[in-house]
Amino acid sequence: MKQQSLRTGFFCRWQMLFYYAVTVVLMASMFGCSGSGDSGNTATNAHNDSDSDSDSDSDSDSDTDSDSDSDSDSDADADTDTDTDADTDADADADFDTDTDTVTDDGPPSSDDSDFGAIADSDSEEPAIADTATAGNDSDSDSDSDTDSDIDTDTDSDSDSDSDSDSDSDSDSDSDSDTDGNDRCPALADYAQPQHIVLSDIREQASGIAWHPERETFFIVANLTEQLWEYDRALSQPVKVYTLANMDFDTEGITYLGNDRFAIATESNVVYVVTITEQTTVIDGSADTTAVLTVTVPPPTRNAGFEGVTWVPPTGGASSRLFVVQEHSPMRVLGFDYAPFDRPYVNQSALDGDFTVTEAWDANDTLNNVATDLADLAYDATTDTLLLLSQESSLLMRVAHDTGELQESLTLSGSPYFEGITYFDGCDLAIVAEPNEVFLHAAQL
């Protein structure tokens, strides 16, 4: 009996140890499940509103509706509604409204409001599970768990991304680099038909014309009249009439030099460089503002001397030059250096060696088969050429000023007595004819 009692006591002790061990194992198992549940079923209530604006050049509309219903056998209902509207247009307004409500039976709910586009709330250090909803994808899932948890997750992510990336890159590269002479005056054949004007205030002998760009007026000389006319731009009426004094009145040509200075060519082969301001009334050949330039000896017969004059401004280090034409017997194109603004204005004579007259080419030989006389000339700075006018041949010729090479010609009509020519307004041409006519040729650029 005592032995039986000892056996019974020993058995009870082992039974108690066994129960204790089982209890420990069960508690350990229960604590392990509880820890796993705490990391898997976290009680959170998170509401996240995030507005972000981004600018981009893309226009895309992406609508994502993801409804995830997660019902578990252990009364775990997970409803996940994700509405994602991503509109990318202009001036990016990205509004992210993420409402996440998580309810668990293990503890009180918690909430977190954040300004981030994506929120991960977890009580454990295990990596969070990412649910990605792609455009046009609806998914419903049911899952079973041993815990009673109701998880309601509503995520409304309205992402309106209006992007106006207006990148206005204005690159105005106005490069006026004329490679084949876009600024050149046109060929003579490309001028418009002339406008014909009659100068009623000049009765006869209109022989030379010049353009004053600062005043925008024309200056016209008429031989043997002892007068010089300044006309308005439209050549409708004189602005002023000047009286000539103490000079050769057989004035044939005129050209503008600048700074109210003019050169007037006379039949006696003398050039008068004069100043004509708005206050001038008399043009005096003996005034201290006048320079008398004797170019050559007078021609042997009357009406065979200088008919026109033009000025070539200084360019590329070269001196300014005056060119004059002798009408005939023989036809000649002469040039000499002259600085019209150097003071004092003194009389000079090539015969005395004050300046040197050059004749680069023989006009009589070069133009003998083209024209029979020379009435005037004008310098074209855009082509570095001379325009020569022939009255007897009613012809306008373009030549190289240093060689006389004929480049082109234009037959004129409307008058048999073309006497003077000038450029105005750039490349437009004005041609004066006896007795009192002007023909305006507009350049067609």
Side-chain angles (χ1 to χ4, degrees):
M1 192 69 172
K2 182 179 181 180
Q3 187 178 6
Q4 183 177 1
S5 175
L6 289 173
R7 283 198 303 266
T8 302
F10 181 77
F11 176 78
C12 288
R13 288 189 187 95
W14 277 107
Q15 188 177 15
M16 289 178 64
L17 290 173
F18 175 76
Y19 287 156
Y20 179 79
V22 170
T23 301
V24 169
V25 170
L26 288 177
M27 289 180 68
S29 176
M30 289 178 63
F31 276 86
C33 293
S34 175
S36 174
D38 287 342
S39 62
N41 299 320
T42 305
T44 60
N45 288 327
H47 177 70
N48 182 25
D49 291 333
S50 173
D51 293 335
S52 67
D53 292 335
S54 65
D55 287 341
S56 69
D57 266 338
S58 60
D59 292 338
S60 65
D61 295 335
S62 166
D63 295 335
T64 302
D65 296 335
S66 176
D67 296 336
S68 173
D69 296 334
S70 177
D71 297 334
S72 65
D73 292 338
S74 61
D75 296 331
D77 295 332
D79 294 335
T80 303
D81 293 329
T82 302
D83 294 334
T84 303
D85 295 332
D87 294 332
T88 303
D89 211 47
D91 280 9
D93 293 332
D95 299 333
F96 293 96
D97 294 334
T98 304
D99 298 337
T100 304
D101 297 333
T102 306
V103 180
T104 181
D105 294 340
D106 294 335
S110 64
S111 62
D112 184 19
D113 289 339
S114 173
D115 287 334
F116 294 93
I119 297 179
D121 290 334
S122 176
D123 290 338
S124 69
E125 295 180 356
E126 297 179 2
I129 298 175
D131 291 333
T132 304
T134 58
N137 183 30
D138 296 335
S139 63
D140 296 332
S141 63
D142 295 334
S143 63
D144 293 335
S145 114
D146 290 334
T147 59
D148 291 336
S149 63
D150 294 333
I151 303 175
D152 294 333
T153 303
D154 293 334
T155 302
D156 293 334
S157 173
D158 294 333
S159 168
D160 294 333
S161 179
D162 287 340
S163 168
D164 250 0
S165 175
D166 290 337
S167 166
D168 292 337
S169 156
D170 275 341
S171 178
D172 282 346
S173 166
D174 279 346
S175 136
D176 292 337
S177 93
D178 301 319
T179 59
D180 201 41
N182 292 336
D183 279 346
R184 293 160 61 101
C185 291
L188 297 177
D190 293 335
Y191 278 81
Q193 290 297 313
Q195 175 188 359
H196 178 225
I197 299 172
V198 176
L199 307 173
S200 58
D201 294 277
I202 300 178
R203 295 186 298 272
E204 58 184 357
Q205 302 293 327
S207 58
I209 187 169
W211 169 252
H212 192 308
E214 291 84 16
R215 298 189 210 172
E216 294 192 342
T217 55
F218 290 98
F219 285 73
I220 298 174
V221 294
N223 54 339
L224 301 175
T225 61
E226 302 182 18
Q227 289 180 316
L228 185 149
W229 286 264
E230 181 180 1
Y231 269 82
D232 62 8
R233 180 189 182 87
L235 291 164
S236 59
Q237 60 184 359
V239 174
K240 200 170 188 180
V241 179
Y242 303 90
T243 301
L244 304 180
N246 300 312
M247 60 188 302
D248 182 359
F249 300 136
D250 196 355
T251 52
E252 295 288 350
I254 184 171
T255 190
Y256 182 62
L257 309 176
N259 295 338
D260 292 333
R261 298 281 283 170
F262 292 83
I264 300 174
T266 64
E267 193 82 52
S268 59
N269 289 5
V270 173
V271 175
Y272 294 86
V273 179
V274 299
T275 299
I276 307 175
T277 68
E278 294 181 278
Q279 290 74 38
T280 302
T281 57
V282 177
I283 300 171
D284 190 348
S286 63
D288 58 4
T289 57
T290 299
V292 180
L293 309 177
T294 302
V295 182
T296 66
V297 296
T301 58
R302 193 98 175 138
N303 293 325
F306 289 167
E307 284 288 314
V309 60
T310 194
W311 185 55
V312 178
T315 55
S319 301
S320 59
R321 289 177 66 80
L322 284 174
F323 282 92
V324 292
V325 292
Q326 184 170 298
E327 186 176 9
H328 58 75
S329 305
M331 293 185 294
R332 304 178 77 182
V333 178
L334 307 175
F336 55 95
D337 292 348
Y338 183 67
F341 312 117
D342 289 352
R343 294 174 179 265
Y345 304 130
V346 296
N347 298 342
Q348 301 180 47
S349 173
L351 303 177
D352 297 334
D354 296 331
F355 58 91
T356 302
V357 178
T358 59
E359 188 173 12
W361 49 282
D362 191 329
N364 215 54
D365 288 345
T366 305
L367 304 175
N368 188 42
N369 296 325
V370 181
T372 58
D373 77 329
L374 296 177
D376 200 2
L377 76 170
Y379 175 67
D380 180 0
T382 68
T383 59
D384 193 28
T385 58
L386 293 175
L387 292 186
L388 299 178
L389 178 65
S390 173
Q391 177 259 314
E392 293 178 359
S393 304
S394 295
L395 191 67
L396 187 59
M397 301 162 283
R398 184 187 300 278
V399 301
H401 68 81
D402 53 349
T403 65
E405 176 188 2
L406 181 64
Q407 298 182 0
E408 61 175 331
S409 62
L410 176 68
T411 300
L412 303 175
S413 60
S415 172
Y417 306 111
F418 294 105
E419 289 286 340
I421 184 172
T422 188
Y423 277 106
F424 74 100
D425 281 352
C427 291
D428 291 349
L429 288 170
I431 301 177
V432 67
E434 291 181 347
N436 55 359
E437 299 172 285
V438 177
F439 296 83
L440 301 180
H441 297 254
Q444 295 180 316
L445 299 175

